[in-house]
Amino acid sequence: MIFFRSAEEMAPSVYVAECTGFPALSPLFHDAKLPASALRANLARSHRISMTPREVEKIKIHFQPREAREQVAHSMPPEKVEIFKSLEVWAEKNILIHLKPVEKSWQPQDFLPDSSSEGFIEQVIELRERSQELPDDYLVCLVGDMITEEALPTYQTMLNTFDGVRDESGASPTSWATWIRMWTAEENRHGDLLHQYLYLCGRVDMRQIEKTIQYLIGFGMHPGIENSPYLGFLYTSFQERATFISHANTAKFAKGYGDLKLAQICGTIAADEKRHETAYTKIVEKLFEIDPDTTMIAFEDMMRKKVTMPAHLMYDGQDGNLFDHFSSVAQRLGVYTAGDYADILEFLIKRWNVKKIGGLSSKGRKAQDYVCKLASRIRKLDERAQERAKQGGTCAFSWIFNKEVLL
């Protein structure tokens, strides 16, 4: 740590330069003899008070999401908040049971070489040898899944925007707040485990991956939830099912490539996602029971917007269409496809018995009709996506040292 004798000697220019990307002055140590007048002159230069418009835009672009959508907030009527407050006891008995005690939970270290053991180097060598059989397109999918998991701060932030269920204090004892924190804690292990595996395997450019994670967390996400837990829990029900499918497929492929340990890793993560899916779908099932009309209309709203993937603002500093390219590889390889999207919709419709829900308003019945007919339309999109995949385009991914991969 560097200690300074006065505020003048702290050289904030270094800090400003690091933040803006402009050249920094040399740090001023405690025994520096720089006159105050010279220091002020240097500080003025380093702050670049008279920046050009082009320089200002260069700075701003690094802090702006790469996609703009209309922002709608707090669309749920205030009286609906009481519904979620009334479900506190129900959530405690029916949702918190899907959490696992920490002492009974797996940890990333259970699947990785033990750095404290004498055989650590040999274990790492074995891991790296197994990973040599993994194709580049598979690695792109695995990295994309890991980056999605690593953006967890964004997902906890999103859950805490839901009116009526958010964690108001950061350590609220309510059932909803407890679920949000403990769900986050369980999910946190997923990114940690995949991150460490990919680091050890030596097949990927970790710096580019880490940049992508930083960009993604900084850009956030915009799934169109409008602070509404109706929309929010429909979204999480869909997404947990989607991540279960994606991780289950990466497990299947890893086994086929001969990396049984990686297959175990991905399969274990998939099992967590399945358990979380069960919790979220139970919440929506309850909402259909006590407020079917609002829930049905929210279901239609969510599907009309399309269920945006959590990492849709993914960026690595190079590829402005990185998420689309990653999704195309996942579609071609069969890790996650438009067909899976349709399957999830049909699964949820059956899970919630949507076709048989009665007592709806005219608007609710129209919403029901739209949702129940949507899967067949999505199937047609899947057919088109498969045709596009046959066209044989390629893309260079910075995550794998700019190697070309078929889209």
Side-chain angles (χ1 to χ4, degrees), residues 179-214:
W179 168 263
I180 290 171
R181 292 194 304 272
M182 295 306 294
W183 170 86
T184 303
E186 290 192 351
E187 289 277 335
N188 186 61
R189 300 166 304 153
H190 302 172
D192 283 352
L193 176 52
L194 291 173
H195 195 127
Q196 291 179 66
Y197 172 88
L198 286 164
Y199 168 74
L200 291 172
C201 81
R203 295 284 312 281
V204 297
D205 187 334
M206 289 306 299
R207 192 171 197 283
Q208 281 301 121
I209 291 170
E210 288 159 356
K211 279 173 57 180
T212 308
I213 294 167
Q214 185 174 353

Side-chain angles (χ1 to χ4, degrees), residues 29-130:
F29 296 93
H30 71 280
D31 59 347
K33 303 298 183 182
L34 190 65
S37 59
L39 174 60
R40 282 192 291 271
N42 281 338
L43 289 180
R45 282 194 296 272
S46 69
H47 277 272
R48 301 290 282 267
I49 294 171
S50 58
M51 287 190 293
T52 67
R54 185 176 180 181
E55 289 172 330
V56 172
E57 289 303 313
K58 184 178 180 181
I59 295 171
K60 285 170 61 179
I61 196 170
H62 294 295
F63 302 100
Q64 295 175 338
R66 301 185 63 79
E67 177 181 300
R69 285 177 65 176
E70 181 184 357
Q71 303 281 334
V72 179
H74 306 288
S75 62
M76 184 176 73
E79 62 269 19
K80 295 293 184 180
V81 171
E82 296 305 315
I83 290 178
F84 293 91
K85 289 183 178 179
S86 72
L87 290 174
E88 270 289 327
V89 174
W90 177 87
E92 180 181 2
K93 294 180 179 179
N94 293 275
I95 302 304
L96 298 188
I97 60 172
H98 295 290
L99 296 168
K100 281 193 173 181
V102 175
E103 296 302 325
K104 295 182 178 180
S105 297
W106 64 265
Q107 298 300 331
Q109 186 53 56
D110 299 336
F111 303 90
L112 297 166
D114 182 359
S115 61
S116 66
S117 73
E118 293 183 358
F120 173 65
I121 301 300
E122 288 75 16
Q123 293 171 32
V124 172
I125 291 172
E126 290 176 6
L127 183 154
R128 291 167 74 93
E129 289 176 347
R130 291 195 306 269

